Amino acid sequence: MARMKFLCDADRCIECNACVTACKNEHEVPWGLNRRRVVTINDGQPGERSISMACMHCTDAPCAAVCPVNCFYTTADAVVLHSKDLCIGCGYCFYACPFGAPQYPKVGNFGSRGKMDKCTYCAGGPEADNSPAEYAKYGANRLAEGKLPLCAEMCSTKSLLAGDGEIIAQIYKERVVKRGYGSGAWGWKTAYKETIAS
Amino acid sequence: MARLFAHARIIIGALALLFVVAAAAPAMAQQPTSVNPTAAAVNEDQLLRQLNQISGRCTLPDQKACTIEQPGGRDWRDFHQVTLPWIAAIAILGMLALLVVFYLIRGMVKIENGRSGRVIVRFNSLERFVHWVTATCFIILAISGLNITFGKTLLLPLMGPEAFTVWSQWGKYAHNYLSFPFTIGVVMISLIWIAGNVPNRIDVEWLKRGGGIVGNDHPPAERFNAGQKLIYWIVVIGGTAVAVTGYLLMFPFYGTDIAGMQLAQVIHGIVSGLFVAAMLGHIYIGTIGMEGAFEAMGEGTVDENWARQHHALWLEEEKAKGHAPSGAAPRATPAE
Ligand code: HEM
Ligand code: SF4
Ligand code: SF4
């Protein structure tokens, strides 16, 4: 099985937010939650870069380690998913996540924050693939249909890559060789404990 | 005339084109080596080294989303998964082991001269009410809190995921809502008992003589001896610490950022573990550790001989105030 990863080529991202919109629409993510977002660093200054970031589906995922009810599981494609039926909304995964990926529908409601929501790599949840129950809780399951995450498919400049980690790393490497520069695979060291030599 | 002008236009046009091409050729030849936009670009490693966090501008209303990377969570993970369980387990199991050993060696501290049959009021109904409200909340908070720390290791395999989630969800509600009466209880305790709990010279003497718990000496004490004063201050300081850090966790992002909440959890976890251990000691002395102690907080009265043995100065004071022991409170069954 492939080891799925995300890679955002910051030298190509034009901050069009198509990935953000695609994600919100595909999964009907409720108002106030964002599974993916684009952040511009050094905005308006020389050397500014925009990066699209969501859950990176980490190797040895910190969120899964700290969850007090062990509601995370990793699929055969190394996608990190969780069960909203088991989540108690404690907020711990958010404390542990290096990418700020977990989100809560009720911020600051002391009874509960509600069930945690995050990027599923368009792979749904524990329910039957593409069942209405799965869609209601986690959104579409494109992976089960043999499709890659919509954010990356939608990316107008193909800055955001999704797919087998080895293949997208290869694509990125070729780009770097061809154009002669590359600012690196953002988040890879933190998420996958490896980086792409450029 | 017009034809001449047209010729001139073509010639000028051709010349201009030639000029553009000539000028562009060297630039094109240079391009691969001359332009490297990443040379000036922001660099992930460098940003992380500077702040251990990467943030920028984003267009979402939730401005927390503008932070894309903060690997600090990994240290917190280590704390939560390794350090905290060890600290809590050693403190709590260590205290239990200590109490068992102590009980086996020392046994229950008896009322030396037996019961006199005369009792004196030690805690009035308000004091007992506050004590038991706080104590009940504390026990539930401790169980539901420790469930967060140890539940998935100890209970999840036994209960299965669904039942464990239902239990933990209720535990979380209990933890969150009972924090309010607990906090009020700690505030009340700190106010109603501050008078007897300021450390003084008698405590030094009491400690030097082993407090009557170590050895068989019975150093005189006022209403609260040094050990009880220690418990008071553990409750006041520990209770304040868990309340403050607990509310920071319960109201995320009100006045804290993610690093602040990680720190709050670290303090909450460590203080809770030590707090539970200290309270186990307190419960021991109040029940099986000492004859005649439980009724002080149970019925509110203590036997005169118990009072003389453990709180001689307090008994004198009470008598001087005219609160002499009375023969009331016939006990259906002796404590033994
Ligand atoms: C006074 C008010 C208190 C408040 C507001 C409070 C709040 C919290 C919150 C919000 C959490 C995070 C988990 C969750 O959401 O359920 C937590 C965890 C915890 N609390 Fe409290 N708490 C309080 C008192 C106590 C007391 C008195 C104890 C112990 C005797 C305690 C022990 C714990 C423990 C052990 C954890 C889990 C730590 C971990 O493993 O991460 N808490 N508390
Ligand atoms: S990015 Fe965050 S939520 Fe996603 S797998 Fe890693 S730690 Fe978990
Ligand atoms: S919020 Fe839910 S998923 Fe996250 S750690 Fe808590 S129980 Fe687990």
Side-chain angles (χ1 to χ4, degrees), chain B residues 230-280:
Chain B
L230 182 66
I231 291 291
Y232 171 87
W233 288 108
I234 287 175
V235 170
V236 172
I237 296 169
T240 309
V242 289
V244 170
T245 53
Y247 288 126
L248 287 177
L249 294 175
M250 242 163 83
F251 298 95
F253 297 105
Y254 283 81
T256 37
D257 59 359
I258 190 115
M261 285 186 291
Q262 287 165 352
L263 182 66
Q265 194 279 339
V266 168
I267 296 171
H268 195 82
I270 295 177
V271 173
S272 299
L274 302 179
F275 204 169
V276 170
M279 286 304 114
L280 286 173

Side-chain angles (χ1 to χ4, degrees), chain B residues 119 121 123-124 128 132 294-302 329 331:
Chain B
V119 295
V121 174
F123 293 114
N124 65 33
R128 280 178 287 146
W132 287 116
F294 187 82
E295 57 212 56
M297 209 40 95
E299 289 110 65
T301 54
V302 290
R331 296 180 57 82

Side-chain angles (χ1 to χ4, degrees), chain B residues 168-242:
Chain B
S168 300
Q169 185 79 70
W170 280 107
K172 187 183 152 57
Y173 285 135
H175 202 90
N176 287 182
Y177 285 97
L178 289 181
S179 70
F180 295 101
F182 174 77
T183 307
I184 295 169
V186 168
V187 172
M188 294 284 288
I189 283 177
S190 66
L191 295 177
I192 59 180
W193 286 328
I194 177 72
N197 279 297
V198 182
N200 58 26
R201 211 173 300 135
I202 299 167
D203 300 323
V204 181
E205 177 67 16
W206 187 88
L207 285 171
K208 271 193 200 146
R209 288 167 62 178
I213 249 299
V214 184
N216 280 312
D217 199 358
H218 289 296
E222 292 173 315
R223 187 171 186 209
F224 299 114
N225 62 39
Q228 290 166 316
K229 289 181 186 180
L230 182 66
I231 291 291
Y232 171 87
W233 288 108
I234 287 175
V235 170
V236 172
I237 296 169
T240 309
V242 289

